[in-house]
Amino acid sequence: MWVFFSLPTFTPYLFLMKRLSLSLLFAFISYVLFAQALQSPDQFLGYSLGAKYSRHHRVVEYFKSVAAVKPEMVKVEKYGQTNEGRELMISIIASPENLKRIEAIRQNNLQMAGLSKNGPSLADAPAIVWLSYNVHGNETSSSEAAMKTLFALVDPSNTATKEWLKNTVVIMDPCINPDGRDRYVNWFNSMVGTNPNADPQSREHVEPWPGGRSNHYNFDLNRDWAWQTQVESQQRIKKYNEWMPQVHVDYHEQGFNEPYYFAPAAEPFHEVITPWQHDFQVMIGRNNASYFDKNGWLYFTKERFDLLYPSYGDTYPIYKGAIGMTFEQGGIRSGLAILNKNGDTLTLLDRLNHHYTTGISTIETSSKNQQRLIKEYKQFFEDSKSAKSSEYKTYVLTSKDENKLMSLKKLLSDNGIESGTISNKGFKGFNYFSGKEESFVDEGLHLAVSAYQTNSVLARVLLEPKTKLVDSNTYDITAWALPYAYGIKAYAVKEKLEVNTEAKLPSVIVAANSNYGLLIPYTSLSSAKLMAQLLKQGVKLRYATAPFQYKGKEYGRGTLIVLKTSNTAVNWNALANEACQKFHVQADAVETGFMDKGMDFGSPDIRVINAAPKVALVSGEQTSSLGAGEIWHFFDQQLDYPLTLVNANDLGRFNLKNYQVLIIPDGFYRNLTDKPTTDKLKDFVRSGGKLIALESAAEQLAGTDWGFKLKEDKSEDKSEYAALKKFADQERNALTGSIPGAIYKVDLDNTHPLAFGFPDFYYTLKQDANIFEFMKDGWNVGVLKKDAYVTGFSGVKVKAKLKDGLLFGTVGMGSGSVVLLADNPMFRQFWENGKLLFCNAVFLAGQ
């Protein structure tokens, strides 16, 4: 409150108070103006970039603050949130003139791609550059670089960026994986002292399990672009497809002893990649190199990071018409500073400046080549819509099970790929399952995909029966064809078939009411999800171990039988019908236990699941975070079934008496085969428990007395000069024993509960050379015979070994059993057909 004195004796005081008032008013106005002025990241954060790590919310707040101060140039959009509730957002940066018409620019871009028919046609359309940061949470420098890049783009004194934005719109996603980033940043900030320790042995450089790389469920989001199994990917790809940029950069870090990698990429290139997409990568690389050379920064190109696997942050945009690139800064485990093998100290400031430089360089190159980018972008989609260079013009998939087809249709739709039905069924095509050109045989239902569509290139990559490799030295899996992953019979057809893409409603599920019981087919993952829900709700289930017939209809092995008997305590009929509606499975009413053919319901061969099994998963340090995370996510987000996670280090102290199933995923176990742990696990199994061992866990158990053994490799070259090898050929020589990910056909004994719901074969994604000897006292359910290889790279030594052996089986021990799964049926959650196999292992095998 201000008091003004009018008496003459107080004139000096009045003068003093006026001066004080003016000073305070000036300070207030200065504060308001400062708050409204554009701030650099250093000013906003209160520390210099590179001095410490910024938590995700501070990165978001900085982007929002810039948008508030520069609304004529920056727009922020929230597109979702993570599993842990953190915000996912993009920022759109453009010149004031372009931001005013940003929706018209977006619609025009979609129109050029053939994804919109009603958008405006802009003769001066700017190129759209999308920069994605921090997909791996512990590759932290890029989100810091994002803030510096944003400031450079809107800084009024930066005349270069002002010029570039005249014909370029920049979209920035400052952090794709906020949960992983904050996991790492919070851990690191709790480990580091006042001054960082550059010794790589210091604890601040030794990140604990599971590390910050992955998301909440320990998924690698950089392998999930096409599959969209994770909530972050689902929300991001939806937003990405609303823009379809011309250029996309995915920011990463690699080991701290490496320098910097930028495009052009390494071989193999997928054959669909256009000469222009390759040439522009070279242009970007040369411009990046000019900046790095001026600063004396080291880099490499054309090595290690190839363009094949379709679910990366560089390849997915490429198959969608963009110039997709990965930029990799050396820096994993670096913290704020680390001493590398060259004796140089690498700092966070170094790392973020390198990423900032390639970002600015990419925008510059895109701006200078805006017209060519737009021209080639249009041409890409014109060629796509005309199926140019596509060997196969139509893909037709057929199945008896509607849910399998609908599941695949959803994945295609999420990726912008149209599908529908055909009326002409008199054609021949390459039969994926037989490997031969054959006449189409309709299994009952079908789904067709035409190569004559906007996203033809991506459709071709995802559906092609054989992966063509120019170079076998690749960074990831080399086979992923969706008909094999989904277990759906398919034909690749060289002729154009007319595909009706009008939406077709799924069949209507009709409630089945009975005073006796219901019969539920067991033919897909939907049936397994239904089974899990009913068990969780306290419904006792039975299932058939042999085919039977009722009212002239055949029912296969695994058919679920819900009877009034044993279920009087619950409203079994209503619960079953609710589950059938939810999972789109048609049940049939049954009024008697006397069957036309086959077993009656009182037969000992009708098995009973009396109660929902309690399931525990070994997790934590010693396990593969990715392997354990896939199973955790499946139970939590897809099966919606209770799961207890137990740390591997606590397994010796964990009370297993109240559990019926123990899952041991892939991992690097130290104590799995020591006597106390082995004795405890065997006691658990002998007492009626079920042990499910996957991948390397099964390999380790094979070294002890569990009833199964690894098959020895007897194909080793023992010639006199076998040890003589050229140093320069060491990488190529190693490929003979390599299998990064190839598809093999597994012969199944589908009379065993582990294979219920399957035909007598299954396609597995093989990622190692492990194969087991046939069991004499167990059940060899899934085996590789001769000529089991289907597609993908498999080294000559691996091919020679992978035959006449066991991949999936069970062996009894006391009252319980062990389930052996040598391959991962849950791989990245996109190997859809394997999920049913896994559910069988949990709920049916060993009953």
Side-chain angles (χ1 to χ4, degrees):
M1 178 177 179
W2 302 109
V3 179
F4 295 95
F5 299 95
S6 59
L7 294 174
T9 52
F10 288 95
T11 300
Y13 295 98
L14 180 61
F15 176 74
L16 178 63
M17 295 304 289
K18 284 183 177 179
R19 289 193 62 180
L20 183 60
S21 299
L22 289 171
S23 298
L24 289 171
L25 181 62
F26 178 77
F28 175 75
I29 293 171
S30 298
Y31 171 79
V32 172
L33 289 174
F34 179 76
Q36 292 179 342
L38 177 66
Q39 292 180 285
S40 69
D42 295 1
Q43 291 170 322
F44 179 85
L45 297 169
Y47 54 84
S48 299
L49 281 176
K52 62 186 291 187
Y53 282 119
S54 308
R55 289 182 175 86
H56 175 67
H57 75 277
R58 293 295 283 157
V59 177
V60 171
E61 286 167 359
Y62 179 67
F63 271 75
K64 289 181 177 180
S65 75
V66 172
V69 174
K70 302 287 288 184
E72 74 281 7
M73 291 187 70
V74 182
K75 181 181 179 183
V76 170
E77 290 184 8
K78 178 181 178 180
Y79 67 82
Q81 66 179 32
T82 68
N83 289 290
E84 296 175 18
R86 293 182 176 87
E87 183 172 347
L88 295 166
M89 54 85 77
I90 59 168
S91 182
I92 303 162
I93 306 100
S95 67
E97 296 76 18
N98 281 333
L99 198 66
K100 286 178 183 176
R101 57 172 189 158
I102 195 65
E103 180 58 19
I105 290 171
R106 186 183 74 83
Q107 289 290 347
N108 175 74
N109 210 54
L110 296 179
Q111 186 184 53
M112 287 192 296
L115 294 169
S116 174
K117 297 178 181 179
N118 303 318
S121 181
L122 303 180
D124 59 343
I128 300 174
V129 177
W130 187 302
L131 307 177
S132 293
Y133 300 90
N134 221 152
V135 65
H136 291 146
N138 59 0
E139 298 174 13
T140 37
S141 65
S142 68
S143 286
E144 311 288 343
M147 291 187 281
K148 184 172 183 177
T149 305
L150 174 64
F151 180 71
L153 290 173
V154 298
D155 182 359
S157 67
N158 194 322
T159 56
T161 58
K162 189 179 296 184
E163 189 67 26
W164 300 337
L165 287 177
K166 288 180 180 178
N167 57 9
T168 309
V169 170
V170 179
I171 300 176
M172 300 176 70
D173 188 333
C175 187
I176 289 177
N177 182 11
D179 290 351
R181 176 181 175 83
D182 273 5
R183 187 187 313 131
Y184 173 80
V185 169
N186 289 333
W187 168 81
F188 180 83
N189 288 345
S190 71
M191 292 292 108
V192 70
T194 303
N195 298 305
N197 189 326
D199 185 347
Q201 301 172 100
S202 175
R203 72 172 186 171
E204 65 204 65
H205 301 299
V206 185
E207 195 180 357
W209 192 98
R213 178 183 177 89
S214 54
N215 76 343
H216 175 79
Y217 285 103
N218 304 140
F219 260 75
D220 186 334
L221 293 178
N222 191 42
R223 271 76 175 169
D224 195 45
W225 279 70
W227 319 133
Q228 299 174 47
T229 69
Q230 301 302 295
V231 67
E232 296 92 344
S233 306
Q234 293 158 9
Q235 296 169 112
R236 184 181 71 258
I237 300 302
K238 182 180 179 182
K239 179 59 65 175
Y240 182 93
N241 287 337
E242 291 174 2
W243 284 92
M244 296 285 284
Q246 280 78 42
V247 178
H248 180 266
V249 179
D250 193 27
Y251 282 93
H252 288 264
E253 294 191 66
Q254 52 191 326
F256 66 84
N257 284 315
E258 305 294 338
Y260 198 101
Y261 162 82
F262 48 72
E267 292 281 2
F269 281 19
H270 196 287
E271 62 178 353
V272 300
I273 295 174
T274 67
W276 164 247
Q277 287 175 318
H278 177 265
D279 292 346
F280 193 78
Q281 284 205 347
V282 174
M283 293 167 65
I284 290 284
R286 291 193 185 282
N287 203 47
N288 288 346
S290 68
Y291 285 107
F292 274 56
D293 289 342
K294 287 176 186 175
N295 287 285
W297 299 337
L298 294 177
Y299 55 87
F300 67 95
T301 65
K302 304 180 291 293
E303 296 181 70
R304 191 175 301 167
F305 302 104
D306 59 73
L307 297 175
L308 185 69
Y309 174 67
S311 206
Y312 277 139
D314 52 8
T315 50
Y316 184 87
I318 281 178
Y319 302 145
K320 285 253 181 180
I323 313 297
M325 294 169 288
T326 290
F327 291 167
E328 295 259 0
Q329 164 64 48
I332 295 175
R333 290 185 54 216
S334 292
L336 296 178
I338 199 165
L339 193 67
N340 66 22
K341 65 181 180 182
N342 297 323
D344 298 324
T345 300
L346 176 67
T347 67
L348 174 58
L349 183 61
D350 296 330
R351 292 152 55 202
L352 74 88
N353 278 334
H354 298 163
H355 270 331
Y356 162 77
T357 300
T358 55
I360 290 296
S361 169
T362 298
I363 296 166
E364 176 188 23
T365 307
S366 301
S367 175
K368 291 179 178 178
N369 293 275
Q370 167 258 345
Q371 291 184 353
R372 182 75 189 277
L373 278 168
I374 296 297
K375 176 186 174 184
E376 296 290 345
Y377 182 81
K378 288 180 180 177
Q379 190 63 52
F380 178 93
F381 288 106
E382 286 174 9
D383 291 345
S384 294
K385 287 179 282 187
S386 64
K388 183 180 179 182
S389 303
S390 294
E391 178 183 4
Y392 299 111
K393 307 302 183 183
T394 316
Y395 302 88
V396 183
L397 303 98
T398 180
S399 174
K400 294 182 178 69
D401 191 279
E402 184 181 20
N403 287 318
K404 294 177 78 168
L405 288 173
M406 294 303 292
S407 179
L408 178 56
K409 184 178 179 67
K410 182 181 184 305
L411 177 69
L412 295 173
S413 178
D414 289 345
N415 284 294
I417 297 169
E418 296 180 326
S419 62
T421 57
I422 54 174
S423 55
N424 171 22
K425 299 181 183 179
F427 61 85
K428 288 186 176 182
F430 176 85
N431 184 336
Y432 287 64
F433 286 4
S434 69
K436 299 175 182 177
E437 190 82 8
E438 294 177 350
S439 296
F440 174 71
V441 176
D442 196 340
E443 296 287 316
L445 301 167
H446 75 273
L447 185 70
V449 179
S450 174
Y452 295 84
Q453 63 171 293
T454 294
N455 283 306
S456 171
V457 171
L458 182 61
R460 173 183 170 184
V461 172
L462 296 181
L463 292 166
E464 61 186 356
K466 301 283 184 182
T467 309
K468 296 178 182 178
L469 289 170
V470 177
D471 190 323
S472 52
N473 189 13
T474 181
Y475 193 66
D476 210 294
I477 65 172
T478 57
W480 50 80
L482 294 180
Y484 298 123
Y486 279 69
I488 301 174
K489 186 178 180 181
Y491 296 81
V493 185
K494 292 183 178 179
E495 65 179 290
K496 179 182 179 181
L497 302 176
E498 292 301 322
V499 177
N500 180 4
T501 58
E502 290 183 10
K504 182 181 179 183
L505 295 175
S507 60
V508 176
I509 302 301
V510 179
N513 297 304
S514 170
N515 290 319
Y516 184 87
L518 300 180
L519 303 177
I520 302 173
Y522 193 81
T523 54
S524 70
L525 178 62
S526 296
S527 301
K529 290 180 177 180
L530 182 152
M531 171 177 61
Q533 175 165 310
L534 291 180
L535 288 172
K536 190 174 67 171
Q537 292 173 330
V539 178
K540 290 186 179 181
L541 297 178
R542 289 168 167 81
Y543 62 91
T545 61
F548 63 93
Q549 186 183 96
Y550 176 68
K551 288 188 175 181
K553 183 175 180 178
E554 299 290 336
Y555 293 88
R557 292 182 175 88
T559 296
L560 300 176
I561 305 167
V562 187
L563 299 180
K564 180 178 180 180
T565 301
S566 306
N567 280 312
T568 53
V570 295
N571 192 348
W572 60 273
N573 202 154
L575 291 173
N577 276 310
E578 287 171 9
C580 286
Q581 286 289 341
K582 180 178 179 180
F583 299 108
H584 198 255
V585 178
Q586 181 61 58
D588 293 329
V590 61
E591 301 298 344
T592 176
F594 191 92
M595 296 296 99
D596 301 344
K597 292 181 182 179
M599 304 173 295
D600 297 324
F601 292 164
S603 167
D605 288 329
I606 296 288
R607 302 291 168 83
V608 182
I609 308 177
N610 281 313
K614 289 192 67 176
V615 184
L617 170 68
V618 178
S619 184
E621 198 258 331
Q622 296 188 53
T623 68
S624 160
S625 60
L626 299 177
E630 288 164 353
I631 297 170
W632 177 28
H633 180 269
F634 179 68
F635 272 88
D636 210 35
Q637 292 293 317
Q638 296 189 45
L639 207 57
D640 190 21
Y641 191 87
L643 179 71
T644 299
L645 276 64
V646 53
N647 287 323
N649 292 334
D650 298 332
L651 190 56
R653 299 186 293 273
F654 187 71
N655 185 357
L656 289 167
K657 289 183 178 179
N658 294 324
Y659 290 84
Q660 289 75 51
V661 181
L662 178 66
I663 304 169
I664 308 180
D666 190 28
F668 316 94
Y669 298 96
R670 295 187 300 272
N671 58 358
L672 192 58
T673 56
D674 63 26
K675 191 174 187 306
T677 303
T678 298
D679 289 347
K680 179 172 185 172
L681 294 178
K682 285 185 176 179
D683 286 345
F684 165 72
V685 174
R686 290 191 184 103
S687 299
K690 185 193 308 181
L691 182 70
I692 302 174
L694 292 93
E695 301 183 89
S696 62
E699 179 185 0
Q700 281 192 260
L701 291 180
T704 55
D705 186 22
W706 282 93
F708 51 90
K709 293 182 179 180
L710 274 172
K711 189 175 181 181
E712 293 182 15
D713 184 4
K714 299 179 181 179
S715 61
E716 185 179 352
D717 185 355
K718 297 181 180 179
S719 64
E720 187 176 357
Y721 299 112
L724 302 183
K725 300 170 184 175
K726 284 189 176 182
F727 179 80
D729 295 338
Q730 57 182 314
E731 194 173 78
R732 292 289 163 188
N733 288 336
L735 291 176
T736 62
S738 170
I739 179 169
I743 297 173
Y744 276 72
K745 185 177 183 179
V746 180
D747 280 74
L748 283 183
D749 173 11
N750 63 359
T751 69
H752 190 283
L754 183 59
F756 282 175
F758 287 91
D760 59 1
F761 59 88
Y762 166 82
Y763 291 95
T764 189
L765 186 67
K766 205 84 185 74
Q767 293 182 277
D768 59 36
N770 285 343
I771 190 169
F772 293 79
E773 293 180 0
F774 295 133
M775 292 187 290
K776 296 179 181 178
D777 299 317
W779 296 105
N780 301 290
V781 181
V783 302
L784 291 185
K785 295 182 179 178
K786 293 179 177 63
D787 301 320
Y789 166 80
V790 177
T791 184
F793 176 72
S794 183
V796 292
K797 290 182 179 178
V798 177
K799 276 187 178 179
K801 182 180 179 183
L802 289 179
K803 60 183 179 182
D804 299 328
L806 170 70
L807 291 184
F808 310 127
T810 67
V811 59
M813 182 177 289
S815 301
S817 63
V818 178
V819 180
L820 159 71
L821 301 176
D823 293 341
N824 180 10
M826 310 289 286
F827 182 71
R828 293 179 187 167
Q829 289 286 21
F830 90 89
W831 207 260
E832 193 73 9
N833 207 28
K835 295 173 184 176
L836 179 62
L837 186 75
F838 183 77
C839 287
N840 289 349
V842 172
F843 296 106
L844 302 183
Q847 283 288 333

